[in-house]
Amino acid sequence: MANLSGKKSLNTLTLVFKLPYYTQWGQSLLIAGSEPALGSWNVKQGLSLSPVHQGNELIWSGRVSVVTGFTCKYNYYVVDDNKNVLRSESGEKRKLVLPEGVQDGDVVEIRDWWQDASEALFLRSAFKNVIFNGSENAKRELQTTSLNKSLEPEDIVVQFIISCPRLGAGSTVVVTGSNPQLGRWQTQDGLKLNYVGDSIWKANCLLRKSEFPIKYPCANEYSLTPNLHPTYKYCKISEAGVSSLEFGPNREVDVDLSSPKPSRYVLLSDGALRESPWRGAGVAVPMFSIRSNEDLGVGEFLDLKLLVDWAVNSGFHLVQLLPINDTSVHGMWWDSYPYSSLSVFALHPLYLRVQALSDAIPGDIKDEISQAKKQLDKKDVDYEGALASKLSIARKIFKLEKDKVLNSSSFKQFLSENEEWLKPYAAFSFLRDFFETSDHSQWGRFSQFSKEKLDKLVSEGTLHHDVICFHYYIQYHLHMQLSEAAAYARKKKVILKGDLPIGVDRNSVDTWVYPTLFRMNTATGAPPDYFDKNGQNWGFPTYNWEEMSKDNYGWWRARLTQMAKYFTAYRIDHILGFFRIWELPDHAATGLVGKFRPSIALSQEKFGSFWTVIAANFLNEYKKQHYEFKEDCNTEKKIIAKLKNSSEKSLWLEKEDSIRRGLFDLLQNIVLIRDPEDNTKFYPRFNLEDTSSFSDLDEHSKNILRRLYYDYYFARQENLWRQNALKTLPVLLNSSDMLACGEDLGLIPACVHPVMQELGLIGLRIQRMPSEPNLEFGIPSQYSYMTVCAPSCHDCSTLRAWWEEDEGRRSRFYQTVIGSDDEPPSRCTPEVVNFIVKQHFDAPSMWAIFPLQDLLALKDKYTTRPAKEETINDPTNPKHYWRFRVHVTLDSLLDDKDIQATIKELVTSSGRSFPGKKVDGAEESGEKLAKVQLNGKP
């Protein structure tokens, strides 16, 4: 076809996008995509959609003309009136590939469903590459989706598109429904879908226009022809021929034939196959707590292979660890604290297996290893002894093998891929030992990091180059050993779940190399809560989020990329810190005198430039930076009188009302903490009702202050904190394809759970710390699906110890949870443990993860040790020694078939998935299959 200018015109077609979505007032939807027609990913230039009510749904739709052969990636966005993004879809970008045969002038309708974060979870590496074994999809032959016949004028091409990330090996997908082309609900005659990659299945189907109801105008309404819209469902068929129809109501093909030019092609992008919720279980234990026949006084990375074997035998799909980064800051047992890292990238030498450093270890070093094993085989971890022995032995092996290892292609590749963090780490470790302190402010000319200084420190030919290379060597072997364990876990379909600490030590490689990313005059902690009525002061500097945002949080992205080399899931420590962090001045010792950052201050800025005038006329500075009202204006009436009668009143004549209100506020806002960085700002002291200052007040003043306090901490900050989390958390989640869980214990702002749900973050539920108000004990059967449930965690006492701590609480639990009016046993018997553990296995939570100590309490023979000794951490003690060791070796646990069978029976009876589970001869993808008849409507 040619136009009047003689140039050949482009063939065009119309795309019609439709999506059901309920918005709030002031919100709308638009599409942004990779091509100019959709804004080239500029949301403000994207395709705006318009809403139309259709039955019980609000359908957003929009049209755009494109050339034939058009392809793109795109996503939907919820925006405000200024097209600022309020919410975006989760998961991979959508891919639009038009069906074969689309011609000039055709109308192609794309029916989408909002991509929810919870659906995208099953595309994360934990499921895709571990549990559902990504190699199975990789083996599937990609198939083309095409029509083998020409179209008649009455034909409508319907393309069915479904995502099936949980599909078992050898299984296929069909669509079955009310039409003859869909088998009239007989699954064996259904339309077979083709696998097109990325867990997506497609098929084209020809339907006649006569098969659809047609809308005819009648008065002011529309009447329909007697025809019903074709209905359908998707169905999995296993390799053994067992059919599993998806859950939920029938889907419907709804084509509007009343428009002047109805759609010729309808693409039904139906989201994910609707299946019963997948549920799994796991075991949690710190790396240092593991005991084996081979270790030198502490758990080692290669011991994880034994733990994985035990997990598989017990029916677990997951092994959870505490942080494993190097914490060698003080050179003593204080460094046992795993959340205070020297480097967020380097692994801890404590977990090195020295026997695996070489195949040719001399006899005298082997003897030294044997001797160290005997000396370090203690009830608890000897942190200093174990680390010193390992490093001493490793140095001797390094001297013998350094040339061979450092010149190997494997080592050179490791150094090349990790030099950005590895060289600063090695240099820092050398300087720490040379200056005998990790406080880099004490390092003279090396206190300020620079690339030039680093290059000199790590350059060949220096007298200390062997020391630098030794640190490379240790990290290389740690990497190789952990990689071996991680690969073994993946092969066994066991997820390794790591831990992302909220902070770094202020004397660390990261604060040395990236000082602008941290607020070094502050400390991180937690306000008073279940764990400690005085709050917690962890000592870490808080983050400078504004500076971090300048490179789109590159430091965080690098951390997650590094973690993903070993883990397929991770726990975000203190996820509340990404909404707001409890920030303390660096001189504080406890966690009481802090404020949330970010937060809206109670500020004297309302006085503006008048502050000095106000202070001079109305206040006394009774000591530096501390003010009180003068005697002649310390009540509201006195303030009114002074504003009217003062000889200085000409200074505020036109602002008398605003100044009066400001002074009234100051008079009423007591028990406030001054911002150390801005003396015009104040923050209410947390738990101010516990102060003697508060108790001395009259009831009227108390009520005023209570209202201020609750409004300040529990209402006015919510939107600010939500916005802060939505800036940072999506970057973390998109930095890797690991499955993310958030530790959301403590004082929870109302905005936290909605944001976590929006982002697909799995929360944590501990029975003794219920998130519901007015409950002493959580009810596992009422937990939401997007949670991890557990009877205890590393930050509290074990199940046995908790049971023994408080007789009254024990009785209340026995009566309200277990449902018995009898006197509860004084010790947590295996029968009580079984009841509580079973409650958690049976819970709706996606994951039930148990501390190893709680699982071993199922058998009397593992409860001989005093219960208190099994506690991993005491949050009330900032100098707690993290040294708990399981008193039985993994080798012995693997030999104990009874404990493994007991746990596996609890897993299987709860319907949770477990490694190797079989259904009709095929390995199950985790859910209980809903079998349907091969004939007849379901």
Side-chain angles (χ1 to χ4, degrees), residues 620-627:
N620 288 324
E621 188 173 12
Y622 64 92
K623 67 177 181 179
K624 189 174 175 61
Q625 300 296 324
H626 289 68
Y627 298 88

Side-chain angles (χ1 to χ4, degrees), residues 61 102 135 190 240 342 357 440 455 475 483 580 646 694 721 728-729 739 825:
S61 63
V102 177
S135 61
L342 179 83
L357 291 177
H440 40 80
D455 290 341
Q475 288 300 313
S483 296
R580 82 292 184 271
S646 172
F694 183 87
W721 294 340
T728 54
L729 285 173
L739 180 69

Side-chain angles (χ1 to χ4, degrees), residues 23-27:
T23 53
Q24 297 177 359
W25 182 259
Q27 297 178 347

Side-chain angles (χ1 to χ4, degrees), residues 740-744 753 756 761-765 786-789:
C741 306
E743 182 264 289
D744 53 348
H753 289 152
M756 290 181 67
L761 277 159
I762 302 169
L764 177 61
R765 298 294 176 268
M786 289 289 289
T787 56
V788 171
C789 67

Side-chain angles (χ1 to χ4, degrees), residues 44 46 62 102 111 169 182 242 320 345 390 429 433 518 526 543 580 591 665 790 824 845 880 897 923:
K44 291 186 182 296
V102 177
R111 298 282 189 84
L182 303 181
V242 178
Q320 177 172 321
F345 300 100
K390 291 191 176 198
S429 298
D433 297 341
F518 305 92
Y543 295 120
R580 82 292 184 271
D665 284 347
S845 303
H880 176 74
K897 306 302 181 187
E923 187 159 336

Side-chain angles (χ1 to χ4, degrees), residues 519 522-525 542 581-585 593-597 677:
R519 292 166 51 78
T522 66
T524 306
T542 57
I581 197 73
W582 188 245
E583 186 175 74
L584 302 149
V593 289
K595 65 180 178 68
F596 287 124
R597 179 179 178 85
E677 297 180 5

Side-chain angles (χ1 to χ4, degrees), residues 296 352-362 364-366 368-369 389-405 470 473-474 477 481:
L296 262 67
L352 182 73
R353 175 157 295 169
V354 292
Q355 303 95 305
L357 291 177
S358 171
D359 294 329
I361 299 177
D364 59 331
I365 298 180
K366 285 184 178 179
E368 186 178 348
I369 293 172
S389 293
K390 291 191 176 198
L391 290 177
S392 173
I393 293 167
R395 284 191 182 93
K396 293 173 182 176
I397 300 174
F398 171 71
K399 286 181 181 179
L400 298 173
E401 299 217 333
K402 63 179 180 181
D403 293 335
K404 174 185 173 183
V405 173
F470 176 68
Y473 170 84
I474 293 294
H477 278 289
Q481 292 180 15

